Amino acid sequence: MTDTPPYLVLPPLERSLSTRTGWGRQHWETLADHLLDSVTPYATAGGGQFRLPGRNSRSGVVSDGLEGFARTFLLAAFRIRGAGGQGVAGLIERYAAGVVAGTTPGRDDFWPVIVDRSQQMVEAASIALALHETRPWIFDQLSTAEQDNVRTWLGGFVGKRTWDNNWILFQVVTEQFLATVDGPHDPAEIERGLDTIEPWYRGNGWYSDGAGANFDYYIGWAMHLYPLLWTRMVDDDGGRGAAYRQRLREFLAGYQHFFGADGAPVHQGRSLTYRFACAAPLWLGALFDATPLTPGQTRRLASDVVRHFVERGAPDERGLLTLGWYEPFLPTTQDYSGPGSPYWASKGFLGLLLPADHPVWIEPERSVPNDLADQVVALPEPGFLLSSTVHDGIVRLLNHGSDHNAAPPAPAHDDPHYAKLAYSTHTGPEAAPAAWHADVDNHLALLAPDGTASRRARIERVALGDRFAASRHTATVGDTEYRVETATVVRGCWEVRAHLVSGPARAAVREGGYAIADRIPPSTVVGDRFAMARSGSAVSSTLVGLAGWAGAGVHADVDANAYGPCSATPLLRGAHSGGETVFVGLAVLSGDAVHPEALATGFAVLVAGRTVVVRYPDGELVRLVLGDLPAGAVRYQRHASDGPGASLRA
C-alpha cells in the first residue's frame, strides 16, 4: 500500500471503527471538499461552467464546461444534503450562482440547449438530481424568473430522442424532477423510459445496458442508480421501487466480489476514468436498505475503493481527476470523454446522503468473503466467472459473455475493454491503438501473414458454472473464417485454457496472458514451453503451454497500458493444421513467486479428439469436452484421482 500523497491533507486515520481502511465519514467529506475546491479556479466568470484542463471531447469546449459544472454539482449536492445545509454555505452560493448563469439566456455561461442525443442530456440528469437533493437550499431560494429559466432549460428534454441505453434514464429523472417543480414534463415519457429498461433486465440483479451483451460498471452506476434515485422524487412509484430494491440486493451479492484486497476494482468495461464511481451501488444498497452487505462491509468496500485511487495519484497534485486511471491515460477514455468527464466519480460519494449516525458510518468495518478464503463466483447473466485469491488479493474476471455489441443483425466490433478473455484488479488490457491492432494479451488469435490478429468480436456463450466457463467466437483471417471455442477452468490463481480451433486452412495461432505494466520494463523469463513477465511490485503473469503449442515468447510495448508506461505480455505460439486443432495452456496471474518450470512439468494433459483431460500437480483430474455435444453429454467434470502418478484416460 502506498501513502496518501502530501498534497492531500486528510484527517488522521480512524482505527477504532475502520480497522482495515482507517477511513471514516470525515475522510470522505475532506476528499469531497478538496475535489470541489480544486475545480474552482477553472470556473467561468459567472460560475456556470468549469473549463478544466485536458483533451476536449467531441462535443466541444462549451459542452465540456457544462459537464464540469454538472458532475461536480452532483458531488456538491451530496455534500450539502448530507450536511443538512450546515457549514457548506460557500458550496450553496457557488452552485446556485452557476445554475442561474447556466440557464439565463444571453449570459456567457449559458448552457447549450438540449437536442436529440446530445451530451446535454447526460448533464441535465446530474443537474436535476442535484437540484432535487438540494432543493431547500438552492432551487427554492431562486427567484421566480430564475426558477422559470431552470424549468425551461431542463424542459428542453421533453420530446427529445435518447440513445437506447442508460440514456433513457436521464430523461426519466430529469422530467420527474420537473414534475416536482411544476415544470414541463411528459408522464408518458417517464413511464415509457422505465418500461424500456425492463427487457434489458436479465435476472439476478443484472441488466444489460441496452439490447445485446453490454455488461460493465454501468449496470451499477447507471442501470440501478437512476431508477432508485427516481423513487426519491415520487410519492407513489407504482410498485416499481420494491422490484428495483430487490434487483439491487441480488446484484450486490455478486458485485462485492469485483474488488481486490487493496480496493482495486476489476479493470473492465467502458468509461473507467470514472474510477470510484464504481462505489455508488455499494452506497445505494445502504441508502435503500437493499443490500446483502452489513453496514461495516459496505463502508469497508467503498472506503477501500476511494482510498485505492487517492493513494495512487487520483486526484493529482492540482486536486483534479484526469482522463485516465491512476494517471492520465487517454486509451482508458472514449471520444465522448472530456476534462469534466471523470467527475462522474461523484457518484461514488452517494454515501454522504446517509446521516452521520447511520450504521454505515458508525458500525465497525467488517470483512467480505474475498478477505477470508479463495472464491470462485459464477455470474451467468453477464457471462463472468470471478476468481479471487486471498494470498495476493487479486481478483480475475473470465469473460465468456460480455462483448458490448448490439444484438444481431447489427455489425459486431471488438474493444480491448470488453473482448478480452480475462481482466483483473491488478492488470489492464493493452489499449493503445497499436497494441489494440496487435491484440496479444488475454486473446487467442489466428494470424494473417502480415501478423494481423483475428478479433473476438461477438461472443457466443456455451456454458458457465462451478469453476468452468466456455464460449465461442468467429475468427476471420483475410477471407477465411475459423471457429474458436474456448473453455476455462479456474482453481486459485491457475486458469486452464483449452481452445478448439476449427477451419479449412493452415494458420499461425497465438495466445497471450495478462499484460504486466510498470514504470520500468517488467522482468521476463522465457523457456521452450512457458513465458513469464513480472513487475517491480512482484505481480507476475505466466503462460505455460500444456498441449498443442510449439513455442513461447514475450510481447513488450510502451505507453499501451493504464497501469504503467512499460508493459510485457507472455505468449504462446502454435499452428492450426486444418480441420480441428486443440490447444491447452495454463495462465497464472499471481502476487506470489511462480515457478513456470515446475508448472510445466507438474501438469499433465491428454487430448483425444475434442476431449481434454488435465491432471493437476496434486492429482485432481478435470475432463472437458469441446465442440457440439449430443444430448445428455457432460461437457465438464472434475474429481480426485488416485494420485499424481495415475494414468490419464479420455
Side-chain angles (χ1 to χ4, degrees):
M1 183 184 73
T2 53
D3 295 326
T4 302
Y7 48 80
L8 175 58
V9 180
L10 293 172
L13 294 178
E14 208 292 306
R15 291 298 190 188
S16 60
L17 293 176
S18 301
T19 55
R20 184 180 181 95
T21 69
W23 276 52
R25 185 183 179 95
Q26 267 194 309
H27 297 79
W28 283 85
E29 291 175 343
T30 301
L31 178 59
D33 292 343
H34 178 68
L35 289 168
L36 291 167
D37 289 344
S38 297
V39 298
T40 55
Y42 304 96
T44 49
Q49 297 180 33
F50 290 109
R51 297 188 177 180
L52 300 166
R55 183 206 66 189
N56 290 117
S57 76
R58 66 189 180 192
S59 299
V61 65
V62 175
S63 175
D64 290 348
L66 163 61
E67 184 176 61
F69 176 89
R71 299 189 179 197
T72 59
F73 185 22
L74 191 62
L75 175 57
F78 296 156
R79 184 74 175 92
I80 293 166
R81 177 68 177 265
Q86 300 299 309
V88 287
L91 281 180
I92 294 170
E93 180 181 354
R94 185 187 315 164
Y95 281 91
V99 168
V100 171
T103 57
T104 301
R107 292 282 294 268
D108 291 340
D109 302 67
F110 186 66
W111 299 330
V113 297
I114 298 171
V115 296
D116 289 343
R117 295 173 176 172
S118 61
Q119 186 65 32
Q120 294 90 281
M121 291 179 164
V122 188
E123 312 319 323
S126 291
I127 291 167
L129 289 171
L131 286 172
H132 173 76
E133 297 297 341
T134 62
R135 182 169 173 178
W137 304 282
I138 294 183
F139 185 84
D140 287 351
Q141 304 306 314
L142 302 180
S143 70
T144 300
E146 291 167 342
Q147 289 180 348
D148 285 342
N149 285 337
V150 173
R151 295 184 185 102
T152 299
W153 188 83
L154 289 175
F157 220 137
V158 180
K160 299 300 191 300
R161 293 179 300 162
T162 73
W163 297 109
D164 291 331
N165 56 14
N166 66 89
W167 282 44
I168 291 285
L169 297 172
F170 302 152
Q171 189 165 40
V172 167
V173 296
T174 301
E175 293 198 31
Q176 191 63 61
F177 169 72
L178 286 165
T180 68
V181 295
D182 299 322
H185 67 283
D186 183 348
E189 281 189 340
I190 296 172
E191 289 297 308
R192 184 164 58 249
L194 295 171
D195 288 342
T196 297
I197 71 172
E198 289 303 307
W200 302 341
Y201 182 67
R202 304 299 170 81
N204 288 323
W206 282 89
Y207 293 85
S208 171
D209 183 12
N214 306 313
F215 302 100
D216 59 15
Y217 289 109
Y218 271 85
I219 310 312
W221 67 41
M223 302 306 296
H224 282 289
L225 183 77
Y226 291 107
L228 279 165
L229 292 184
W230 166 80
T231 67
R232 287 169 67 88
M233 297 180 175
V234 297
D235 295 326
D236 180 8
D237 61 26
R240 292 182 187 270
Y244 296 153
R245 289 191 294 274
Q246 180 59 28
R247 291 174 183 179
L248 177 60
R249 186 176 291 108
E250 294 173 4
F251 174 75
L252 291 173
Y255 188 67
Q256 64 179 305
H257 294 276
F258 275 70
F259 305 96
D262 62 357
V266 171
H267 193 91
Q268 178 270 341
R270 186 161 51 105
S271 301
L272 290 170
T273 194
Y274 301 160
R275 297 179 174 96
F276 37 85
C278 62
L282 300 170
W283 293 122
L284 194 68
L287 185 64
F288 286 90
D289 191 23
T291 178
L293 303 174
T294 68
Q297 289 176 318
T298 295
R299 189 175 79 256
R300 169 262 191 272
L301 282 174
S303 293
D304 242 2
V305 170
V306 72
R307 187 188 67 163
H308 177 86
F309 285 101
V310 166
E311 291 177 346
R312 289 161 179 81
D316 67 8
E317 68 280 358
R318 301 166 297 177
L320 302 180
L321 295 174
T322 58
L323 286 165
W325 185 240
Y326 301 135
E327 299 175 344
F329 184 70
L330 291 179
T332 301
T333 69
Q334 285 69 41
D335 61 0
Y336 57 72
S337 304
S341 294
Y343 287 86
W344 244 23
S346 298
K347 295 179 177 185
F349 288 81
L350 193 68
L352 292 179
L353 290 179
L354 294 162
D357 61 354
H358 188 280
V360 81
W361 291 117
I362 64 174
E363 289 192 7
E365 287 184 345
R366 299 297 183 194
S367 297
V368 294
N370 282 3
D371 299 330
L372 305 175
D374 292 357
Q375 305 282 325
V376 178
V377 177
L379 299 174
E381 289 73 27
F384 294 159
L385 196 64
L386 293 172
S387 171
S388 64
T389 41
V390 172
H391 67 277
D392 52 17
I394 296 175
V395 179
R396 306 152 194 83
L397 184 156
L398 306 184
N399 175 29
H400 290 273
S402 180
D403 56 25
H404 198 234
N405 281 303
H413 66 281
D414 70 349
D415 182 312
H417 293 98
Y418 289 94
K420 301 297 187 181
L421 177 61
Y423 299 90
S424 88
T425 52
H426 286 59
T427 63
E430 301 283 81
W436 188 351
H437 174 76
D439 208 2
V440 177
D441 60 298
N442 281 321
H443 179 54
L444 188 287
L446 284 88
L447 304 178
D450 66 354
T452 300
S454 64
R455 322 302 295 182
R456 188 186 187 220
R458 194 178 296 282
I459 301 171
E460 175 190 344
R461 303 176 190 197
V462 173
L464 188 143
D466 187 37
R467 290 166 23 195
F468 167 76
S471 59
R472 297 174 181 146
H473 71 278
T474 298
T476 303
V477 179
D479 296 328
T480 304
E481 288 190 348
Y482 297 84
R483 194 68 168 151
V484 178
E485 179 172 313
T486 297
T488 310
V489 181
V490 297
R491 174 178 157 184
C493 63
W494 294 339
E495 301 170 24
V496 173
R497 301 178 178 179
H499 309 277
L500 172 65
V501 179
S502 306
R506 301 178 64 88
V509 182
R510 182 188 66 208
E511 178 170 18
Y514 293 87
I516 294 294
D518 206 341
R519 292 191 177 279
I520 60 174
S523 60
T524 60
V525 179
V526 179
D528 293 337
R529 296 176 53 194
F530 63 82
M532 182 174 73
R534 188 176 183 86
S535 71
S537 60
V539 175
S540 63
S541 171
T542 305
L543 202 55
V544 180
L546 300 178
W549 297 107
V554 172
H555 174 80
D557 217 324
V558 177
D559 293 333
N561 200 291
Y563 284 73
C566 304
S567 57
T569 305
L571 59 87
L572 298 172
R573 301 186 183 94
H576 172 58
S577 57
E580 295 185 344
T581 306
V582 173
F583 300 88
V584 185
L586 175 71
V588 182
L589 179 68
S590 179
D592 282 352
V594 175
H595 303 284
E597 301 93 337
L599 293 174
T601 58
F603 278 79
V605 172
L606 171 67
V607 177
R610 296 178 173 182
T611 299
V612 177
V613 181
V614 180
R615 184 176 65 225
Y616 287 75
D618 64 357
E620 182 187 28
L621 288 178
V622 168
R623 181 177 181 270
L624 306 172
V625 183
L626 305 171
D628 297 328
L629 271 64
V634 177
R635 183 173 293 280
Y636 160 72
Q637 58 188 152
R638 61 186 175 94
H639 58 85
S641 74
D642 293 332
S647 299
L648 292 180
R649 298 186 304 276

